[in-house]
């Protein structure tokens, strides 16, 4: 199905099932420990041997020798694969650095060997017996030091009007620089895979957000046809972008299994993950805003510097500034330096998450310079069209409503605009606000639907559920379309033998994958109607029956003994060119800062989101509170500490890379505005999983400023950065 | 993890003798730190002697009016003990500020005293570390040192002791009771139990090879307002940036020990005379010898401000 | 190798194990009880939480051979998809999870936390060490802090636990 004109009324609009806050259909499996994750397919794979990955001990250089003799002699060892015996390997098109290093080493903890043994304990011990000599090379590990070597990234640069001139002549100006650190996805399930070969074909049970990308890149890396690779990933213990791509666990399992002639399971050990896998790159962001005395933006410029491996990509931290606020004169520019740190890549809301951490502090600073309320300052600079191309309207844009409703719900009027004034005992208290913005991306997505002789519907698609609720919203979609209860729908996900879907990334998954299921269900409805001789336009699917005029046929009967199977996909036309599709929100936060120690406690958080139709308010709300929680981490604690001499992330485990715990998070409120976006898809939905993260960090930063009067422009906002500027103690 | 043999000890003296006569042998009790380190081969015992069966899990009054805490008393049980809560609230608070409920259910009193540093370079076997591999150098110096020591460190090591419990024990003048391999026993004042790194950061305590902690003895209660204040980057389940253990009497005199600043719980008795004059002079004396790095200099300010908050709280 | 017998979810089990095998790996790899998760294998995340003789511990930081004769309860022992434990049902109702990987540990911990409060064990946020701790949101948050949820379901988890606590009261 081609989607190239805005949606009109369709069966989804009934909202009998879609839009309802239903419990997850996979909830019982997850809460009882019965949902099988990548390393846990004991039923499918018996007799798996264990692989243990060895990571490079240097950041850059060359392996001069590898002594695996002792390891090969160790008890239980079945095989050891290194660059010396892996055979020729390609590189996945989505990978920047190779997944099996050697002899060249591209980054710290790059996989250089996998040891396969009968047991996990044997593999781990043998792995420690491999001796590697290196010739270390000089590397670049410090973004600030490499800043001046960074090259402009022109494809994403934008310029409107005369930014420099308008900024120079603006009566009120802000020119400030912000930094965001390297961050780790730190999902709870480590990257894990089980590989089993059958002749020249391999099946890999894995934990991957994008099945088709993963299958393609594993085939490419192994120099084999994609059809001979099958990926199965029914449950994924968190991804956040860290499992978008083929990673070393899958490759090492496949190589180890081939060498050992046995199925092999590999999970990346936690202390290896932060340097072995990808991370969100650090940024340096310079923001300049010029306004008139009335607070209207006349010039807005956002430049961002980041680093990555050679041939890598920039963190696109300036892009939202093209679209978020009005202003006649504009500039955005990314610059990319070559760094020899581990590969930088997408992490939840790539671009907008760090970009808004900076931009939305800048907006707060600017409001203060103007003596304006930060909500009002944002409201008066709203735009309903793409400021770069005013002929392109936003398909929906309720940013102002998000801000206004949020302010009302949160009690924003109680905020003291004068920072450092509100105090409760030992606590300095403050409130902060930020806008949330994330573009709405759409991706082609396919599904197969089967109506069987019991009148039940089975959906198969390689879509993944990474905690997002895909199982449930896909079941809701199929139930709504076919007029059956959700208990009559079975959803099977995450298998490359199913039709290719949008996958989970860029918050496109919910809208695109359900739209694909919609398309397949439209086709199934037509097939049913055709079989019954009904006019498909008039056929009504409801209560497990299909009706036309005064004829009523149960779906089970319509399906017949053999059932009906169809497959279709949704393909998106140029609506996203004609309309700017984005999601909007506001974040409000209240913090308390210990006047003596500077410890921050978040007291209240509210997000208001306008993101099209909310397919399931319960799971969507969870997406948003989860993102808000990650935003707390970004604001207050998360930083991969770079050892700039040795070129690695030092705090590479979950004790030293701190993410929020229960005690850091208060009750969280989420409001979804009633919205449908017919331009986005037949579902009229968009995504919220990343929107919820965008702006949270800045709202917290602004609240800390409001509480303390100390402005910190370097994330995370740890107490060491402002302790000496807190009030003197009496 | 290297292969090891395993036995359950029958008595403390036998356990001590067994460790002393078996090269590479170690005791295991809660295991929460040892197994963590064994998985990384930072510890590689060839033989484990499980001491959990030794009946060292009682908390009993001493003749002097104090408490004898068995080496195997779990952190949860020690923190929850009614006598500890009433008379040694500092200890209860310190225990509850550490780790997580799960870890406290397993971790023992003796094991807590013996837990090793969380210096990230100690934890990464690719990196030189004098504590892990004597003579290899200290990568933390000049590296990521935000969490590391500001006082009492050496050219060889700037690691910190991660224990909360030990900081309270230090303020309370606890005494560590042990049995040696030859069956003799001794009592080690907590002040002498942990060592500064000097040139031998691999030697962290006064224990001899095979020497087994059997109990920790608390002197009779000293009253006062007892406050343990731990400052960290997240609200729970994190190691201290700085912690302050204080016992403050009505007249303003008291005791202070610090966590998170040194290779051992840091207490300078001579400096405590300054306490009645306030946090600034007191901390100036306690941390007079501080030599922080650029990254952890904030700990000096933080320690003073935290003590200020503690003294204010003690005044009520 | 070492022989070990213990009871798991009420069932006697005898295993012949490498002494290096953790309780977690014994459960997951030898008994195929994969509900207990390996998130970090170093006591830093809580995904492996099980109850041993009624107390919650990190099963990754204990050796199987150290549990001779112990009674172990895992998530599989609390309830099944057809017969949920009240805490499991509350997690479903409150959407107290997302990816589900930390969930068994969160639920085992939740059940134990309510028992710990009942038993009068204080926590870091208990204001008065002389009084019995109460079931408050702050107490739950502090006590659950050894169970990390990167998806960030904390707010919902606290509500699920609170609901169960209120019904028990």
């Amino acid at each position: 199905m081609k989607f190239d004109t805005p949606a009109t009324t369709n069966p989804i609009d009934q909202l009998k099932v879609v839009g309802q806050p239903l419990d997850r259909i996979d909830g019982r499996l997850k809460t009882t420990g019965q949902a099988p994750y990548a390393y846990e397919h004991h039923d499918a794979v018996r007799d798996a041997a264990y692989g243990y990955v060895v990571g490079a001990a240097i950041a850059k250089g060359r392996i001069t020798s590898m002594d695996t003799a002792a390891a090969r002699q160790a008890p239980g060892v079945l095989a050891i694969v290194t660059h010396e015996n892996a055979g020729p390997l390609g590189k996945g098109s989505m990978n920047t650095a190779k997944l099996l290093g050697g002899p060249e080493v591209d980054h710290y903890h790059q996989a250089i060997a996998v040891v396969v043994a009968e047991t996990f304990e044997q593999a781990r011990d043998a792995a420690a017996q491999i001796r590697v000599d290196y010739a270390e090379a000089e590397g670049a590990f410090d973004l600030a030091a490499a800043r001046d070597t960074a090259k402009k990234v022109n494809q994403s640069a934008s310029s409107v009007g005369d930014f420099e001139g308008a900024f120079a002549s603006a009566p009120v100006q802000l020119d400030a620089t912000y930094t965001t650190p390297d961050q780790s996805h730190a999902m709870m399930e480590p990257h894990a895979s089980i590989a089993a070969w059958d002749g020249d074909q391999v099946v890999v049970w894995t934990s991957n957000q994008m099945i088709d990308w993963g299958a393609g890149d594993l085939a490419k890396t192994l120099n084999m046809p994609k059809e001979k690779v099958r990926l199965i990933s029914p449950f994924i213990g968190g991804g956040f972008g860290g499992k978008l791509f083929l990673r070393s666990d899958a490759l090492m399992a496949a190589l180890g299994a081939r060498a050992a002639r046995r199925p092999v399971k590999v999970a990346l050990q936690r202390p290896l993950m932060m340097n072995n896998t990808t991370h969100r790159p650090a940024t340096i962001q310079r923001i300049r805003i010029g306004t008139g005395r009335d607070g209207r933006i006349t010039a807005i410029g956002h430049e961002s510097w980041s680093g990555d491996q050679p041939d890598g990509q920039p963190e696109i931290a300036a892009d939202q500034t093209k679209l978020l606020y009005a202003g006649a004169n504009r500039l955005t520019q990314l610059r990319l330096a070559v760094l020899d740190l581990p590969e930088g890549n997408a992490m939840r809301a790539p671009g907008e998450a760090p970009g808004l951490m900076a931009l939305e502090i800048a907006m707060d600073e600017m409001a203060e310079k103007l003596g304006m309320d930060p909500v009002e300052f944002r409201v008066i600079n709203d735009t309903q069209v793409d400021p770069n191309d005013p002929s392109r309207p936003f398909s929906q844009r309720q940013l102002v409503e998000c801000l206004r409703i949020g302010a009302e719900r949160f009690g924003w009027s109680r905020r003291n605009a004068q920072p450092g004034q509100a105090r409760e005992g030992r606590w300095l208290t403050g409130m902060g606000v930020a806008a949330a913005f994330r573009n709405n991306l759409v991706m082609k997505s396919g599904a197969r639907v089967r109506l069987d002789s019991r009148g039940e519907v089975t959906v198969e698609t390689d879509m993944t559920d990474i905690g997002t609720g895909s199982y449930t919203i896909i079941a809701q979609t199929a139930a709504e379309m076919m007029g059956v209860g959700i208990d009559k729908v079975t959803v099977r996900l995450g298998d490359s033998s199913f039709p290719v879907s949008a996958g989970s990334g860029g918050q496109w998954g919910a809208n695109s994958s359900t739209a694909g299921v919609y398309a397949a269900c439209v086709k199934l409805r037509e097939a049913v109607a055709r079989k019954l001789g009904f006019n498909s336009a008039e056929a009504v699917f409801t209560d497990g029956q299909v009706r036309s005029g005064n004829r009523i046929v149960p779906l089970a009967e319509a399906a017949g003994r053999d059932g009906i199977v169809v497959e279709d996909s949704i393909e998106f036309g140029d609506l996203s060119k004609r309309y700017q599709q984005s999601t909007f929100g506001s974040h409000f936060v209240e913090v308390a800062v210990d006047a003596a120690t500077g410890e921050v406690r978040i007291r209240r958080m509210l997000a208001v989101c306008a993101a099209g139709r909310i397919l399931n308010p319960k799971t969507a709300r969870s997406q948003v509170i989860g993102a808000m929680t990650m935003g707390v981490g970004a604001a207050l604690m998360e930083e991969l500490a770079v050892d700039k001499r040795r070129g690695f992330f030092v705090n590479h485990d979950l004790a030293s890379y701190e993410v929020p715990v229960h005690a850091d998070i208060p009750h969280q409120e989420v409001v979804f505005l009633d919205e449908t976006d017919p331009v986005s898809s037949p579902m009229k939905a968009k995504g919220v999983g990343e929107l919820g993260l965008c702006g949270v960090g800045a709202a917290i930063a602004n609240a800390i400023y409001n509480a303390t009067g100390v402005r910190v422009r370097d994330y995370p906002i740890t107490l060491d950065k402002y302790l000496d500027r807190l009030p003197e103690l009496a | 993890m290297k292969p090891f043999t395993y036995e359950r000890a029958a008595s403390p003296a036998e356990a001590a003798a067994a460790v002393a006569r078996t090269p590479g042998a170690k005791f295991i009790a809660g295991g929460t730190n040892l197994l963590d380190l064994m998985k990384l081969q930072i510890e590689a015992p060839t033989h484990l002697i499980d001491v959990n069966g030794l009946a060292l899990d009682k908390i009993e009054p001493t003749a002097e009016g104090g408490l004898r805490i068995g080496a195997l008393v779990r952190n949860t049980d020690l923190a929850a003990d009614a006598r500890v809560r009433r008379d040694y609230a500092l200890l209860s608070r310190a225990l509850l500020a550490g780790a997580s409920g799960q870890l406290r259910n397993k971790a023992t009193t003796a094991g807590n005293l013996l837990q090793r540093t969380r210096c990230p370079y100690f934890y990464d076997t690719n990196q030189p570390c004098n504590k892990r591999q004597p003579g290899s150098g200290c990568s933390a110096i000049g590296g990521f040192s935000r969490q590391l020591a500001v006082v009492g460190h050496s050219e060889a090591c700037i690691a910190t002791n991660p224990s909360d419990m030990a900081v309270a024990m230090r303020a309370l003048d606890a005494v560590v009771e042990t049995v040696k391999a030859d069956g003799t026993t001794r009592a080690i004042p907590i002040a002498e139990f942990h060592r500064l790194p000097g040139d031998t950061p691999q030697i962290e305590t006064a224990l001899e090879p095979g020497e087994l902690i059997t109990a920790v003895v608390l002197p009779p209660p000293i009253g006062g307002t007892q406050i343990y204040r731990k400052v960290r980057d997240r609200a729970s389940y994190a190691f201290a940036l700085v912690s302050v253990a204080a016992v403050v009497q009505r007249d303003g005199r008291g005791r202070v020990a610090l966590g998170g600043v040194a290779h051992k719980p840091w207490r300078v008795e001579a400096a405590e005379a300054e306490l009645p004059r306030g946090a600034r002079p007191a901390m100036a004396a306690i941390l007079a010898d501080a030599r922080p790095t650029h990254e952890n200099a904030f700990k000096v300010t933080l320690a003073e401000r935290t003590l200020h908050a503690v003294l204010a709280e003690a005044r009520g | 190798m070492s022989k070990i017998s213990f009871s798991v979810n009420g069932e006697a089990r005898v295993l012949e194990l490498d002494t290096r095998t953790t309780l977690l790996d014994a459960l997951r790899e030898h008994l195929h009880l994969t509900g207990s998760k390996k998130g970090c294998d170093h006591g830093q995340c809580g995904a492996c939480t099980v109850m041993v003789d009624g107390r919650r511990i990190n099963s990754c930081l204990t050796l199987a051979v150290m549990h001779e004769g112990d009674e172990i309860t895992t998530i599989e022992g609390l309830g099944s998809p057809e017969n949920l434990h009240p805490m499991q049902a509350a997690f479903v109702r409150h959407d107290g999870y997302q990816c589900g990987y930390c969930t068994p540990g969160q639920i085992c911990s939740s059940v134990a936390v309510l028992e710990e409060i009942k038993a009068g064990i204080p926590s870091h946020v208990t204001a008065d060490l002389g009084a019995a701790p109460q079931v408050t949101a702050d107490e739950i948050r502090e006590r659950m802090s050894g169970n990390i949820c990167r998806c960030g379901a904390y707010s919902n988890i606290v509500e699920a636990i609170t609901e169960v606590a209120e019904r028990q009261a």
Side-chain angles (χ1 to χ4, degrees), chain B residues 57-58 66 82 103 116-117 119 131 136 138 151 160 173 181 189 193 203 218 236 239 257 259-260 266 276 292:
Chain B
D57 56 353
K58 308 283 187 305
L103 290 163
R116 307 198 68 189
T117 184
C119 174
K131 185 184 280 295
S136 61
C138 172
V151 71
T160 45
D173 284 334
F193 184 80
I203 303 172
L218 296 176
S236 188
F239 294 96
W266 190 254

Side-chain angles (χ1 to χ4, degrees), chain A residues 39 42 50 120-121, chain B residues 39, chain C residues 2 4-6 8 13-36 38 41 48 50 59-67 72 74 76:
Chain A
Y39 202 74
H42 289 291
Y50 291 80
F120 172 70
E121 292 77 20
Chain B
K39 289 177 184 192
Chain C
S2 197
I4 177 81
S5 358
F6 44 47
V8 181
R13 298 285 203 159
V14 180
L15 291 170
E16 183 84 20
L17 294 174
D18 189 317
T19 51
R20 293 171 291 183
T21 311
T22 61
L23 178 58
L24 176 63
D25 286 330
L27 293 168
R28 284 171 61 82
E29 304 304 324
H30 296 268
L31 299 176
H32 296 184
L33 290 170
T34 54
S36 306
K38 187 184 279 190
D41 214 16
C48 66
V50 301
S59 62
C60 75
L61 283 189
T62 192
L63 296 169
V65 292
M66 296 170 74
H67 291 279
I72 296 149
T74 69
E76 291 91 346

Side-chain angles (χ1 to χ4, degrees), chain C residues 118-162:
Chain C
K118 252 187 228 162
I121 294 168
S123 86
H124 175 62
V125 300
T126 307
D128 179 1
L129 283 182
Q134 304 298 307
V135 182
T136 64
D138 279 347
E139 284 281 4
I140 292 170
R141 288 184 189 117
E142 163 59 23
R143 290 165 192 266
M144 290 297 296
S145 284
N147 290 86
I148 293 177
C149 171
R150 183 58 160 164
C151 294
Y154 297 134
S155 186
N156 289 352
I157 292 171
V158 171
E159 279 162 31
I161 299 171
T162 303

